[in-house]
Amino acid sequence: VYSGRGGNIFADDLTYSQQRQALDIIIERTDDFFRRGLDINILTVDNHVDGVYLYRKLLQKDQQKANQVKELLMWNGGGAYSTGVGIANIDFVGNVHPDQFWQDYTFGNVLERNFADIWMDETDPLMKGLKHKPDYIKGRCRLCQYKAMCNGSMRVRAYRVFGDPWAPDPQCYLTDEEIGLTSESIAQLKANGEYFEMPVELKK
């Protein structure tokens, strides 16, 4: 996530193809662990599209497992219930942030106001948007056929790259075709001023 000490890692981040290769290796190794009876939990974090990628891979070989994964992803909601909803960050002086990656945005201070009051106050535009992410995300994320499984993933990453917290997550490595976009829907996004060019550095 491009923030804090990691604010300058963008140029060194994995490309979309490298991320897909990494997920393929993780999936293959996880299958191997399962076949050998090893009880090991594998966790990827900070990119909810990983779950969608796994679902798409399973569709090719095990429809039943794919359906189970889809059900879990729909229940989890991807980024819908994380930052600003189920995840908060309170720093050492009591400032309340959306999560650990938004240290430069503060909703209030627990020494001055009750946390529950701060956390449920939707008069702050960012807090309101985070509480209702599916209604706010833009561009390819808004039209994605897997929106209910991912819900825009990491909003802070969109903000760091595009300057808009509701823009698409620049780390979505699924193609327009894979997420169900057509030339017509892309044209619609452009006409609405809602088209965001994904970073060329990551497309390699």
Side-chain angles (χ1 to χ4, degrees):
V1 180
Y2 318 130
S3 68
R5 290 175 296 174
N8 297 319
I9 66 171
F10 179 78
D12 299 316
D13 207 350
L14 296 179
T15 64
Y16 294 156
S17 61
Q18 289 171 332
Q19 290 183 68
R20 296 170 80 108
Q21 291 169 14
L23 260 293
D24 287 342
I25 293 171
I26 291 171
I27 292 169
E28 181 182 324
R29 295 288 175 84
T30 303
D31 274 342
D32 177 59
F33 292 156
F34 180 77
R35 286 193 298 268
R36 289 190 283 148
L38 299 178
D39 187 15
I40 299 175
N41 290 320
I42 307 297
L43 179 67
T44 67
V45 296
D46 295 336
N47 199 349
H48 297 91
V49 75
D50 291 347
V52 177
Y53 185 79
L54 173 62
Y55 166 70
R56 287 178 54 85
K57 294 286 285 189
L58 285 173
L59 276 176
Q60 301 170 18
K61 58 180 183 179
D62 192 328
Q63 181 73 53
Q64 184 177 359
K65 279 188 179 179
N67 289 339
Q68 292 173 345
V69 167
K70 180 179 180 180
E71 184 178 344
L72 288 171
L73 291 174
M74 296 286 284
W75 169 80
N76 179 265
Y81 307 116
S82 55
T83 302
V85 182
I87 296 176
N89 175 264
I90 303 175
D91 66 25
F92 63 96
V93 294
N95 290 324
V96 178
H97 309 285
D99 63 22
Q100 68 271 33
F101 302 115
W102 288 85
Q103 294 300 300
D104 55 345
Y105 197 98
T106 302
F107 294 125
N109 189 289
V110 294
L111 300 179
E112 302 169 358
R113 193 178 177 203
N114 184 278
F115 172 75
D117 293 335
I118 295 172
W119 201 241
M120 300 309 295
D121 185 356
E122 294 187 14
T123 60
D124 183 289
L126 180 61
M127 179 66 86
K128 183 176 181 180
L130 292 173
K131 289 285 195 290
H132 306 278
K133 290 187 195 80
D135 299 329
Y136 279 73
I137 54 177
K138 302 176 182 177
R140 69 197 305 268
C141 283
R142 178 174 66 81
L143 299 181
C144 176
Q145 64 178 326
Y146 304 113
K147 177 182 174 182
M149 298 184 195
C150 177
N151 277 300
S153 195
M154 294 288 287
R155 299 295 81 222
V156 68
R157 198 157 42 214
Y159 177 69
R160 300 296 180 212
V161 172
F162 296 115
D164 184 342
W166 315 120
D169 187 332
Q171 273 293 354
C172 177
Y173 46 80
L174 297 180
T175 66
D176 289 345
E177 183 180 21
E178 287 172 330
I179 67 172
L181 292 190
T182 63
S183 56
E184 290 79 11
S185 57
I186 292 173
Q188 176 194 350
L189 292 176
K190 290 180 178 179
N192 294 342
E194 206 179 334
Y195 182 77
F196 297 83
E197 186 67 48
M198 301 300 268
V200 65
E201 297 92 336
L202 301 179
K203 291 182 178 180
K204 299 173 183 177

